[in-house]
Amino acid sequence: NPTTQPITLTYWGVFDSATTLEPIIADYQKEHPNVTIKYEQKTFDHYEQDLKNAILEKRGPDIISLPNTWIP
């Protein structure tokens, strides 16, 4: 069954620490035990360029948090 196959998702963000997101990720994983979410906190100064490079190189994260100032 494809919905129970193990999957690991990479999540990039800037302002939230792993400690802050840990309970949210844990709650999600309780509902979806086959999903592992690995959060990486990036530095603001390099985030935009790192994200662009990762996407262009087809190694981008599965989930991203964007600073609200990037949304027009």
Side-chain angles (χ1 to χ4, degrees), residues 23 39 59 71:
Y39 179 71
R59 59 174 182 79
I71 311 296

Side-chain angles (χ1 to χ4, degrees), residues 7 12 17:
I7 184 169
W12 285 11
S17 70

Side-chain angles (χ1 to χ4, degrees), residues 11 16-26 39 65:
Y11 178 5
D16 295 307
S17 70
T19 305
T20 301
L21 292 175
E22 190 175 286
I24 298 166
I25 291 171
Y39 179 71
S65 290

Side-chain angles (χ1 to χ4, degrees), residues 9-13 35 37-39 47 51 60-65:
L9 300 174
T10 303
Y11 178 5
W12 285 11
V35 178
I37 299 173
K38 293 186 177 185
Y39 179 71
Y47 188 53
L51 187 56
D62 302 293
I63 306 165
I64 59 171
S65 290

Side-chain angles (χ1 to χ4, degrees), residues 25 55 57 70:
I25 291 171
I55 291 169
E57 295 168 8
W70 292 8

Side-chain angles (χ1 to χ4, degrees), residues 18-59:
T19 305
T20 301
L21 292 175
E22 190 175 286
I24 298 166
I25 291 171
D27 285 346
Y28 183 86
Q29 290 178 168
K30 283 180 193 171
E31 295 290 322
H32 307 278
N34 61 309
V35 178
T36 300
I37 299 173
K38 293 186 177 185
Y39 179 71
E40 296 179 33
Q41 185 176 8
K42 302 292 185 176
T43 61
F44 183 77
D45 293 340
H46 299 110
Y47 188 53
E48 184 175 6
Q49 192 60 49
D50 288 350
L51 187 56
K52 286 178 184 178
N53 290 341
I55 291 169
L56 288 172
E57 295 168 8
K58 299 190 187 303
R59 59 174 182 79

